[in-house]
């Protein structure tokens, strides 16, 4: 029944799920593995802004992926909703940046990249966002920025995969290492035993570096903790996303307001802290004072897969035939997922890729680990 190649994907976050969907749709048999429930790490914990927080501060490599994904997201949301009946809620609100130190650079970037970012008056800003705290002096606005309700995106992707006969999802299946035939990788070793495949894709987020170290390779991806809080407000409380002093507020369609986030190097510790909570509450109330009287309904932490300059690793690992990477998206996994997974699928299929794959190629950026191979 399933005659295509068999691909094992390690990690069932947004990147792994969408990679699986793309490969399955071109006829491959896909087995998706996750150490816990699908999509319960960074893909669940993040805010879901479909833009880097400060897009002009990133390299051309990140910008290329971000632009493609931003333009594609509404279509992806619609297609998943039609297929599954689960709406990822790709919500186009626009985004205000307030009192930026590098506003001139941001506007120059927008002109160069032909993105709809422009300076706006404070009067117009306060008309659109009356809940905004007084005292801000400058604002710039990008009208087409959306946010996606990431837990619902994950549920929708998972439901779409469940409809496909050539996809198997195995949750609570921890991968311990790789099966090798010489240098070639032909499967993975799991807590439930070995699993073999024609191709193995590492999409394990913050845990990707640990797994690749078992092959003696140093992947510069490390966990970077981020904490968020959630408020319940009236549906018309906030109509636009707003960002100031490194913190942002994101409105969902039903009135929930996300405020984030912290940036902490704390290893694999995901424990929410009182210190972060107090800092986030202070930022929330400084940005939107009425939140002081709103019901706070959530506080959580997640681990981003931190990579140098935020540039993900996408493509084959030359010294280990059969092993591919799609990981290391740092703060922009949800933003970059559609483009990253389309680029990955183009490379697997041997098609002309949507963008130049060279900046993401693993071989130029991986190093041999100084430690012994376990």
């Amino acid at each position: 029944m399933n005659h295509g190649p068999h691909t094992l994907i390690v990690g069932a976050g947004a990147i792994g799920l969408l990679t699986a969907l793309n490969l399955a749709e071109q006829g491959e048999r896909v087995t998706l593995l996750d150490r816990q429930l699908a999509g319960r790490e960074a893909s669940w914990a993040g805010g879901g802004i479909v833009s880097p927080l400060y897009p002009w501060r990133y390299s051309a490599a990140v910008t290329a992926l971000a632009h493609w994904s931003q333009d594609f997201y509404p279509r992806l949301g619609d297609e998943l909703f039609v297929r599954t009946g689960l709406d990822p809620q790709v919500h186009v609100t626009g985004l205000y940046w307030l009192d930026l130190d590098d506003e001139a650079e941001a506007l120059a970037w927008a002109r160069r990249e032909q993105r709809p970012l422009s300076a706006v008056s404070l009067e117009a800003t306060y008309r659109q966002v009356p809940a905004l705290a007084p005292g801000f002096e400058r604002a710039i606005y990008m009208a087409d920025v959306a946010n996606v309700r990431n837990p619902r995106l994950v549920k929708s992707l998972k439901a779409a995969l469940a409809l496909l006969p050539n996809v198997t999802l195995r949750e609570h299946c921890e991968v311990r290492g790789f099966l090798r035939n010489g240098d070639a990788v032909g499967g993975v070793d799991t807590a439930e035993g070995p699993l073999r495949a024609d191709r193995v894709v590492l999409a394990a987020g913050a845990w990707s570096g640990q797994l690749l170290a078992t092959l003696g390779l140093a992947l510069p991806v490390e966990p970077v903790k981020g904490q968020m809080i959630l408020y319940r407000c009236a549906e018309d409380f906030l109509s636009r996303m707003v960002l100031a002093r490194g913190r942002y507020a994101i409105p969902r369609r039903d009135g929930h307001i996300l405020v984030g986030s912290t940036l902490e190097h704390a290893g694999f510790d995901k424990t929410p802290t009182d210190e972060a909570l107090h800092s986030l509450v202070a930022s929330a109330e400084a940005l939107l004072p009425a939140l002081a009287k709103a019901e706070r309904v959530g506080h959580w932490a997640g681990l981003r897969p931190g990579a140098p300059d935020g540039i993900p690793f996408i493509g084959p690992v030359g010294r280990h035939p059969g092993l591919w990477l799609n990981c290391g998206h740092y703060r922009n996994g949800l933003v970059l997922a559609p483009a990253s997974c389309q680029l990955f699928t183009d490379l697997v299929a041997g098609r002309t890729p949507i963008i130049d794959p060279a900046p993401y190629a693993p071989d130029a950026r991986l190093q041999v680990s100084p430690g012994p191979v376990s």
Side-chain angles (χ1 to χ4, degrees):
M1 180 177 170
N2 295 317
H3 301 293
H6 180 205
T7 296
L8 278 171
I9 300 176
V10 182
I15 298 292
L17 291 164
L18 192 51
T19 300
L21 187 60
N22 285 355
L23 292 177
E25 288 181 334
Q26 65 179 29
E28 298 211 7
R29 182 163 58 97
V30 179
T31 301
L32 190 57
L33 310 173
D34 201 277
R35 54 192 287 275
Q36 58 161 323
L37 292 173
R40 291 296 298 179
E41 293 293 349
S43 300
W44 179 88
I49 301 176
V50 185
S51 170
L53 290 185
Y54 302 96
W56 53 89
R57 298 178 187 174
Y58 281 90
S59 67
V62 173
T63 297
L65 290 171
H67 285 355
W68 196 95
S69 288
Q70 287 169 315
D71 295 341
F72 184 75
Y73 244 113
R75 173 181 160 188
L76 175 64
D78 290 344
E79 289 181 354
L80 288 171
F81 190 20
V82 168
R83 284 192 197 191
T84 68
L86 297 171
D87 186 359
Q89 293 190 7
V90 179
H91 185 28
V92 180
T93 64
L95 172 59
Y96 285 97
W97 287 266
L98 303 163
D99 289 357
L100 283 170
D101 292 332
D102 57 350
E103 180 178 303
E105 289 85 347
L107 296 172
W109 171 88
R111 289 190 295 271
R112 186 172 64 250
E113 298 293 333
Q114 296 184 314
R115 305 307 283 188
L117 174 69
S118 59
V120 292
S121 71
L122 264 297
E123 292 77 12
T125 302
Y126 280 103
R127 281 198 302 271
Q128 290 291 337
V129 192
L132 190 64
F136 288 105
E137 298 179 355
R138 301 182 314 281
I140 61 175
Y141 179 63
M142 190 184 291
D144 65 349
V145 182
N147 67 79
V148 61
R149 199 154 185 171
N150 36 304
R152 299 191 183 195
L153 173 67
V154 167
K155 288 180 182 178
S156 187
L157 286 168
K158 187 176 175 181
L161 291 173
L163 297 172
L164 299 176
N166 52 332
V167 177
T168 301
L169 172 61
R170 295 181 60 170
E171 298 175 306
H172 300 294
C173 183
E174 184 175 2
V175 172
R176 297 170 172 173
F178 301 93
L179 303 180
R180 295 172 58 181
N181 181 10
D183 288 331
V185 169
V188 295
D189 178 34
T190 78
E192 301 171 15
L195 295 172
R196 299 191 180 277
D198 301 295
R199 182 188 303 114
V200 175
V201 182
L202 184 58
W207 287 263
S208 297
Q210 283 188 333
L211 285 169
L212 209 56
T214 66
L215 292 175
L217 294 176
L219 178 73
V221 172
E222 61 177 356
V224 181
K225 184 176 179 179
Q227 300 189 48
M228 306 275 292
I229 53 176
L230 180 68
Y231 292 89
R232 182 181 289 117
C233 299
E235 289 184 23
D236 61 352
F237 173 72
L238 185 65
S239 63
R240 306 287 190 269
M241 293 182 283
V242 290
L243 193 160
R245 305 182 189 100
R247 295 278 167 84
Y248 52 80
I250 305 170
R252 301 304 198 201
R253 288 179 182 169
D254 61 4
H256 281 91
I257 307 294
L258 279 160
V259 175
S261 66
T262 64
L263 196 67
E264 307 166 57
H265 293 269
F268 287 92
D269 177 15
K270 291 193 300 177
T271 308
T273 64
D274 289 341
E275 180 182 8
L277 176 61
H278 294 152
S279 175
L280 289 166
V281 168
S283 293
E285 295 177 7
L287 190 57
L288 303 165
L291 290 180
K293 298 180 180 180
E295 180 186 6
R296 193 170 66 242
V297 294
H299 171 214
W300 62 86
L303 299 177
R304 311 174 183 91
D309 301 319
I311 300 173
F313 296 79
I314 305 170
V317 178
R319 69 191 74 189
H320 292 291
L323 178 62
W324 291 65
L325 305 184
N326 194 359
C327 58
H329 294 75
Y330 199 13
R331 304 189 75 169
N332 295 308
L334 289 160
V335 182
L336 306 181
S340 296
C341 297
Q342 185 59 56
L343 173 60
F344 181 92
T345 309
D346 289 343
L347 294 173
V348 167
R351 294 190 296 262
T352 301
I354 54 167
I355 58 174
D356 179 10
Y360 322 100
D363 285 348
R365 302 164 65 202
L366 291 175
Q367 298 179 348
V368 176
S369 174
V373 178
S374 57

